Amino acid sequence: MSELEYKVIVGLEIHVQLATRTKMFCSCGLGFGGEANTRVCPVCIGMPGVLPVMNKQAFEYSVLAALALNCNIPSFTKWDRKSYYYPDLPKNYQISQYDLPMSEHGYIEIPLEDGTTKKIRILRAHLEEDAGKNTHTFGNFSAIDLNRTGTPLLEIVTEPDLSSGAEVKALAVELQRIVRYLGVSHGDMQKGHMRFEPNINLEIIKEGKAYRTPITEVKNLNSFRALEGSVKYETVRQLDEFMETGVTFGMGNKRTFGWDDVNECTVLQREKEEAHDYRYFPDPDLVPVEMNDEWLAEIKGQLCELPIQKQQRFVDEYKLSEYDAAVLTGDRATAEFFDGAVKLGADAKRVCNILTQTGLKMANEKGCSAAELGVSVENLATLAKMVDAGDINANAATKIFEEMTASDKGPAVLAGKLNLVQKSDAGEIEGFVDEVLGANAEAVAEAKSGSKKSKKAMGFLMGQVMQKSKGQANPQVVSQLLNKKLGESE
Ligand code: ZN
Ligand code: MN
């Protein structure tokens, strides 16, 4: 069979759980797990006669996220009821937004593997409430936990601008960075704070003609791995299906699939998407929200430099590699910790090395950010400067950094205490060099000989001097002195 030319087309629907203290329309707390049906009240379980009240913080978080996604914020937005009947939705409708969402027409810039970026258009982002959870762990019975009911969700819908599993994953990772930078969501995938639904199909060129395959919607993915895997799997499955059956969009339309995490494949759930009639209508219990310039300006004031901008700046201004810049901008606290030390005059590459080789490792072990290890920005900057001044070597910097996390003493004091101060005083080192040269005539001769052995002999002499200085001599100074002396006595 001939190789077919094809293009992957993916759009995403994403639900992001906001990091508010309380639910969207009542004062029940947000949480994860806990005893079933303990974080509920008459409002969130929809008892007759109760009145929902909008959580202002949730609305402001949504606007902040939408601004970071370059969306328009209309001055008027309203709430709608989306009706459906489901055991985990006892009031039989979800409060959502239909024709007048709180934001629309933006884009998110995602980093690609080749170091460039790509803009993915955002159709809209709106605010809504989550449903409860059905659990099936009681033998023949199913149980319903309404603790999650009423949790504020920001639903983001992209245009179908993504063209590979890698791009889809890049968007997910970037969105997670953005919501965490802004503090609007914890973005914890394991707790379902970000749930993805990709819509996937292909454009296939066959004998000069373009065909589109039916769209697959994969429901409720909450890991980057599943997200990327589902796109890759669907690409192959849809190609195979097209070659076998010739089915195209219009004949098959849209189908709903789930993801089998164990076998890493998509599984058909609904063959024919039923014509949904959600009977959307404005919620009569909630007043529309009017956004004025003053309020919008106030929220805009909470925007920060976005992660991708920070990453680009670290590459452009500080000459870091794309990789290092991505690692350091992984979380905002670490990025600001790094940036702060550089702004205090430390060399960027040096601070980067200390953080990537030591700080991030320790942070990872402790489950915190590198900025939370107990080392101040000032001490980090001083430590980096000490390495560059030749006061300590890179290994010593690691030890001192580790020590600083458990001490309130500065790097200079700790370097002295731990005997890690490097000797750069030529006079003192010269004494060691003379001693070593005097005691190793054979090695000296070999070093001077210019033969194959001279490099090895030089290394030996170097090691002897370092040993005499108890490892504290600055190797650069030792090397300079050795070369000078071996050259002189020709
Ligand atoms: Zn409640
Ligand atoms: Mn939704």
Side-chain angles (χ1 to χ4, degrees), residues 13 15 82 94 96 126 128 153 155:
E13 236 180 82
H15 287 90
K82 181 181 181 179
Q94 175 194 30
S96 181
H126 70 250
E128 61 184 32
L153 297 178
E155 179 178 323

Side-chain angles (χ1 to χ4, degrees), residues 14-20 30 32 61 152-153 172-196 221-224 330-331:
I14 309 146
H15 287 90
V16 178
Q17 179 176 322
L18 299 175
T20 51
L30 293 196
F32 182 74
Y61 277 173
L153 297 178
V173 172
E174 193 57 29
L175 183 64
Q176 186 189 48
R177 276 208 300 188
I178 291 173
V179 297
R180 285 180 170 171
Y181 264 58
L182 298 173
V184 302
S185 173
H186 298 302
D188 190 338
M189 307 282 282
Q190 262 127 31
K191 291 183 180 166
H193 292 169
M194 292 177 80
R195 309 194 296 262
F196 298 85
L221 301 171
N222 60 1
S223 78
F224 295 137
D331 72 272

Side-chain angles (χ1 to χ4, degrees), residues 23 26 28 40-41 44:
K23 290 184 180 180
C26 66
C28 292
V40 292
C41 74
C44 54

